[in-house]
Amino acid sequence: MPTTRSGTDSEFGMFEPEAESMPAEGMAELQARRLRGLVDRLLAAGGVQAGRLRAAGVTGGGDVSLADLPGLPVTTKQDLWDGYPFGLLAVPREDVVAVHGSSGTGGRPTLVSYSRADIALWSRMCARALAAAGAGPGSIVHNAYGYGLFTGGLGIHQGAIELGATVVPASGGMTARQVTLIADLRPDILTCTPSYAIRIGEALAEAGLTQGHGLSLRAGVLGAEPWTQEMRVKIADLLGIRALDIYGLSEVIGPGVAAECYQAADGLHVNEDHFLVEVLDPVTGEPVPDGTPGELTFSTLTKEAMPLLRYRTGDIAALRRGDCACGRTLVKMTKVAGRRDDMLVIRGVNVYPSEVERVLLAETGVAPDYLLVVDERDGQRELIACCERTGAAATAGAEADLRAALERGLREALGLRVRVQVVEPGTVPRTEVGKAVRVRRWTGGEPPIPGLAV
Ligand code: DLL
């Protein structure tokens, strides 16, 4: 239970201050102890991770220290697929109280299992994230993450209840109903994907609801897909809220692996007392120094049902240590640039969609919805950035200027020629349910979005 919820503390209190503001030596000691416990549990469970540990010469938790971590075997999504659905269990099947997962690519779902204690842990991690956004008992959390197999909806739901807040299980979609619920219930916290926050913001504005005039939202806890600092500004402008990032993945637990604090809104505090984080060079698998982007890799120190040692996420970010205005000592990760497999290679230049987003959305005349089209017709590979203008760039001359400015900005930032196409407002497909699709391939026939000149 929270121990600092009183008076002004209740506004920005930590949910578990002892853990969240633990000094570095204490944290390292705790992690080392829990890592030994994890290794023991994996060895006792048998299975693929135990086999690999034994092959690496590890016969018990007592053999490993934090310094040994880089030499321990890793796990990947392939291991989850190979063991589908219950192959990686470290508890009897009857002790699994819930499964969740993600639809994944190629139609193969990634399923994960939770014990009763895992659900309790997950609830606390999401309560930490909500508290970091300024929520507390008495808050109303409008939860527009999808409910179901996806971890966003139920994860945040359980976290809000754990915190003692009031959760509105709106789920995704049916935006008109979201507007009604927000107008009537006056939530202070909005939880959904950043792209859906934009959609909800547009719908609220259309309904004439703005901050102070029917809106009482203070913060958004937004994640499940990459988004940039520039998108943060657009969301803050549209909704009048502090837009905060929350990160997680089903394999590790779901949302609540890391989250930003209201005070700094500058990088996500990783709950490293439960999720030991490393950043590895995606190619060599060797650890990279703090500050260098690489592949986030997590060891679930305390999870019971499906514990993972050194799970390589494919997500690219960097770590940063140091003091934070909020008082948390938990290591920070930067916003995720994207997944390793989302990287586009255009004429030999590597580019993440988020790098294009940063340039597009830095322009005030550009609306927050955009689509990147990889034009692969005729054996070539060109990148076309389709975006919408806001009222400010409505005239034909202004539109041409906007396009020229964006193309120049993209060339300077990425060293790549990107064609910019300004399309009619409302043309870029909005995401109401699930994760935003920012990239479409165009291999022939009709363009993937109307108004894209052939
Ligand atoms: O997306 C868990 C979640 C739900 C996180 C709600 C935050 C809020 P999965 O469906 O398993 O789980 O997808 C996990 O989504 O490996 C990242 O590639 C991406 N992702 C999640 N959060 C962020 C974020 C949930 N804040 C995959 N920024 C991860 C960038 C994110 N990418």
Side-chain angles (χ1 to χ4, degrees):
M1 282 303 289
T3 55
T4 63
R5 288 207 174 279
S6 62
T8 51
D9 251 358
S10 68
E11 243 190 344
F12 295 117
M14 297 178 207
F15 183 68
E16 295 181 313
E18 210 176 297
E20 294 175 73
S21 58
M22 188 178 280
E25 315 79 67
M27 180 61 77
E29 202 183 297
L30 179 69
Q31 289 172 330
R33 179 158 39 84
R34 288 182 170 172
L35 178 63
R36 291 195 291 272
L38 168 64
V39 167
D40 280 334
R41 280 182 288 123
L42 289 174
L43 286 168
V48 63
Q49 296 191 82
R52 288 183 193 146
L53 278 167
R54 291 206 180 90
V58 179
T59 56
D63 292 349
V64 300
S65 69
L66 290 181
D68 299 321
L69 205 54
L72 297 182
V74 298
T75 40
T76 63
K77 198 171 252 211
Q78 188 64 47
D79 294 318
L80 271 79
W81 288 336
D82 291 347
Y84 179 89
F86 291 122
L88 289 174
L89 281 192
V91 297
R93 221 289 302 139
E94 306 74 60
D95 290 354
V96 172
V97 300
V99 293
H100 275 282
S102 54
S103 48
T105 44
R108 246 191 310 191
T110 306
L111 277 194
V112 297
S113 300
Y114 299 77
S115 71
R116 193 173 290 279
D118 293 336
I119 296 285
L121 169 68
W122 187 21
S123 306
R124 279 163 37 224
M125 296 304 104
C126 286
R128 281 188 190 181
L130 292 168
S139 288
I140 298 183
V141 178
H142 182 95
N143 186 20
Y145 284 115
Y147 280 60
L149 211 51
F150 176 55
T151 52
L154 282 159
I156 294 293
H157 183 98
Q158 292 157 175
I161 291 174
E162 178 73 20
L163 185 62
T166 306
V167 62
V168 183
S171 194
M174 294 199 276
T175 305
R177 193 181 66 175
Q178 309 266 356
V179 169
T180 306
L181 286 170
I182 291 171
D184 293 350
L185 298 177
R186 302 284 182 110
D188 47 333
I189 305 285
L190 172 67
T191 57
C192 60
T193 60
S195 51
Y196 197 42
I198 292 285
R199 178 71 204 100
I200 289 177
E202 289 171 348
L204 288 169
E206 281 160 24
L209 294 163
T210 53
Q211 214 40 265
H213 301 277
L215 268 198
S216 48
L217 288 169
R218 286 203 314 163
V221 181
L222 316 173
E225 60 191 29
W227 58 299
T228 58
Q229 184 63 29
E230 288 69 21
M231 180 71 90
R232 192 201 300 277
V233 174
K234 298 270 187 201
I235 294 173
D237 285 352
L238 187 60
L239 282 149
I241 59 172
R242 199 128 168 96
L244 304 171
D245 202 348
I246 178 169
Y247 168 82
L249 61 165
S250 322
E251 299 92 307
V252 173
I253 203 156
V257 173
E260 282 183 323
C261 57
Y262 191 100
Q263 294 90 327
D266 174 30
L268 299 85
H269 290 285
V270 180
N271 286 317
E272 56 176 331
D273 49 332
H274 296 284
F275 312 113
L276 183 56
V277 61
E278 300 169 84
V279 176
L280 307 182
D281 180 311
V283 179
T284 65
E286 291 301 316
V288 300
D290 286 353
T292 305
E295 182 173 353
L296 291 169
T297 300
F298 292 97
S299 297
T300 64
L301 295 177
T302 52
K303 256 176 58 175
E304 286 183 350
M306 216 190 79
L308 294 177
L309 182 66
R310 306 192 78 214
Y311 182 73
R312 292 186 61 160
T313 63
D315 294 326
I316 304 297
L319 294 182
R320 201 170 72 218
R321 286 164 223 278
D323 296 338
C324 183
C326 69
R328 285 176 184 78
T329 51
L330 299 169
V331 63
K332 279 186 181 181
M333 56 179 255
T334 59
K335 287 174 94 49
V336 171
R339 293 186 57 75
R340 212 176 38 194
D341 13 312
D342 290 343
M343 192 177 73
L344 303 169
V345 184
I346 309 287
R347 292 192 301 276
V349 179
N350 298 348
V351 43
Y352 283 104
S354 62
E355 294 177 279
V356 181
E357 175 180 304
R358 294 180 66 162
V359 177
L360 296 180
L361 302 196
E363 284 286 334
T364 45
V366 173
D369 298 290
Y370 68 93
L371 182 74
L372 306 184
V373 174
V374 181
D375 182 356
E376 293 178 347
R377 294 169 303 159
D378 314 324
Q380 48 154 14
R381 204 169 154 84
E382 299 290 331
L383 189 58
I384 310 171
C386 303
C387 55
E388 296 176 5
R389 53 180 194 257
T390 57
T395 65
E399 187 176 305
D401 288 349
L402 177 65
R403 199 171 57 230
L406 290 173
E407 288 184 346
R408 203 178 324 113
L410 287 164
R411 197 165 45 245
E412 279 166 17
L414 309 174
L416 179 69
R417 191 165 38 78
V418 179
R419 186 178 129 201
V420 172
Q421 177 91 41
V422 181
V423 296
E424 285 302 310
T427 314
V428 171
R430 268 50 170 178
T431 309
E432 303 224 332
V433 178
K435 305 189 183 212
V437 177
R438 301 291 193 196
V439 181
R440 296 275 301 272
R441 287 171 65 212
W442 186 11
T443 51
E446 288 299 303
I449 103 170
L452 179 56
V454 181

